[in-house]
Amino acid sequence: GAVVSQHPSRVICKSGTSVKIECRSLDFQATTMFWYRQFPKQSLMLMATSNEGSKATYEQGVEKDKFLINHASLTLSTLTVTSAHPEDSSFYICSARAGGFGEYGYTFGSGTRLTVV
Amino acid sequence: QKEVEQDPGPLSVPEGAIVSLNCTYSNSAFQYFMWYRQYSRKGPELLMYTYSSGNKEDGRFTAQVDKSSKYISLFIRDSQPSDSATYLCAMSFTGNQFYFGTGTSLTVIP
């Protein structure tokens, strides 16, 4: 149980275009999902907390107009990178918590490798 | 100062060795401690979790938390080549937002 599916796993886009990444909880409902960004050889950095039915909470330094988050249902959160630039190239990972803390902890998606050319 | 410090390695050990991975932290309010394993280009997967202090064992893996020293460890016994991955520690105040270490890259040589 506690599977998080993330799609696409890899995307290459042109500078200036927008890219949407989907995060789905397959066998549980997630009122809260989290979006992380990971640069090579660096830690996961929390970008934002996605809350079903309400606005996302962004971490300091993260541009909310650039990284649009929509959590329209209990099983789906999307991250849209708008007007992407090469510096947005990174590994984006979502996570969600299934059940009480400890049973599954936080389950992560498999990540999306974004390359902006 | 970072909230969580973790030696990035890389760490290379022969098959069958005992591996010790460690993290230190600065905020004594952390209550939840987790270890994740991340294979290349994949999302992290939960290995162990601990609430507050103490030890926890699961198969070949043992997690230890020493809150007095602000130090957590993950031990891997009888290491296998399939254990080769990056290991991330993570901790939280409330069980919601987590702070991650940079990860330690481990290679187990057959």
Side-chain angles (χ1 to χ4, degrees), chain B residues 3-65:
Chain B
E3 294 274 11
V4 180
E5 298 278 358
Q6 184 176 8
D7 186 342
L11 184 61
S12 184
V13 301
E15 183 174 355
I18 296 175
V19 177
S20 173
L21 304 166
N22 311 295
C23 287
T24 58
Y25 60 95
S26 56
N27 197 320
S28 58
F30 282 128
Q31 296 271 37
Y32 298 85
F33 304 91
M34 309 175 90
W35 285 96
Y36 283 87
R37 177 174 62 195
Q38 185 177 23
Y39 292 110
S40 181
R41 299 175 182 169
K42 298 290 185 183
E45 57 177 321
L46 178 65
L47 275 179
M48 305 279 288
Y49 67 90
T50 311
Y51 173 72
S52 194
S53 285
N55 297 351
K56 189 167 185 178
E57 187 173 321
D58 184 2
R60 296 185 295 111
F61 298 89
T62 299
Q64 289 185 350
V65 175

Side-chain angles (χ1 to χ4, degrees), chain A residues 17-108:
Chain A
T17 62
S18 296
V19 173
K20 181 185 284 188
I21 302 169
E22 292 188 348
C23 181
R24 295 181 184 273
S25 57
L26 296 187
D27 49 4
F28 66 99
Q29 294 182 332
T31 55
T32 303
M33 293 185 176
F34 302 86
W35 287 96
Y36 291 85
R37 185 172 178 174
Q38 187 178 33
F39 290 105
K41 301 188 186 300
Q42 293 191 26
S43 180
L44 283 83
M45 297 299 296
L46 180 65
M47 297 175 65
T49 301
S50 170
N51 303 295
E52 187 269 335
S54 65
K55 291 183 179 179
T57 303
Y58 291 82
E59 295 300 302
Q60 190 173 12
V62 177
E63 299 176 60
K64 60 182 180 181
D65 293 331
K66 181 168 187 61
F67 299 99
L68 300 180
I69 291 173
N70 187 318
H71 195 154
S73 77
L74 288 171
T75 59
L76 174 64
S77 175
T78 60
L79 168 68
T80 301
V81 182
T82 63
S83 187
H85 288 101
E87 57 265 30
D88 298 325
S89 299
S90 188
F91 194 52
Y92 293 87
I93 310 175
C94 68
S95 77
R97 192 170 92 190
F101 180 84
E103 183 173 3
Y104 296 109
Y106 280 81
T107 301
F108 284 83

Side-chain angles (χ1 to χ4, degrees), chain B residues 58-76:
Chain B
D58 184 2
R60 296 185 295 111
F61 298 89
T62 299
Q64 289 185 350
V65 175
D66 183 346
K67 294 191 75 177
S68 62
S69 301
K70 300 194 187 80
Y71 188 88
I72 68 171
S73 300
L74 176 70
F75 297 97
I76 306 174

